Amino acid sequence: NTEYTEAFETKRPLIPEGDWRCYIKGIDVSPGNKPSTALCRVTLEFDDQDLAKEETMIGKDKIQKTEMLFLDLDPETGLIKHAGGANWMLGQLRAAVGQNVPGKPWNPGQLEGAGPLGAKIVHREMTKMDPNTQKRVGTGEVIDNVQAWMAV
């Protein structure tokens, strides 16, 4: 029952913008807020030596980030859609680790431990839905986001 008098950090330092090498440390797929959606939580662990030298990352034992992919499901089968432009970020992630092969059986759990791959990190303003206008508005908070996945 150790007591603390210090305040804890409330935000993780942003990963600097750029193309960084990483591995997929974990994958978790859970139901979305509609029957035709799912959430795929991708936990990345960066092992890029140049990233480790960036000022905001110095002294970190591990550099990790969680990225959320919103998946479209077929409403009749509940399976992840794979055509018509649906789930292209998942397709890009699979391709970056050599798992987007037609005819070869695949499931999301195979992504766990996969890599190395590249993640293009960009900074953007967080948004939320304004209940009055039903439009997305900026919150003023800047977050880091994976804009693209690449093979390395």
Side-chain angles (χ1 to χ4, degrees), residues 93-116:
L93 177 60
R94 288 181 62 193
V97 295
Q99 294 184 9
N100 204 31
V101 181
K104 185 174 181 181
W106 178 85
N107 70 68
Q110 291 174 258
L111 289 168
E112 191 154 337

Side-chain angles (χ1 to χ4, degrees), residues 9 20 27 32 42 47-48 58 66 74 78 80 86 97 102 111-112 119 123 137 142:
E9 295 290 332
W20 306 112
I27 288 287
V42 182
D47 72 339
D48 192 301
I58 291 174
T66 299
D74 182 298
I80 300 171
V97 295
L111 289 168
E112 191 154 337
H123 294 170
V137 295
V142 176

Side-chain angles (χ1 to χ4, degrees), residues 8 58 65 68-69 73 76-77 82 90 101 112 122 136 143:
F8 286 86
I58 291 174
K65 177 189 180 353
M68 288 295 256
L69 301 180
L73 306 179
E76 292 180 18
T77 65
H82 57 81
L90 177 60
V101 181
E112 191 154 337
V122 296
R136 297 203 71 77
I143 60 171

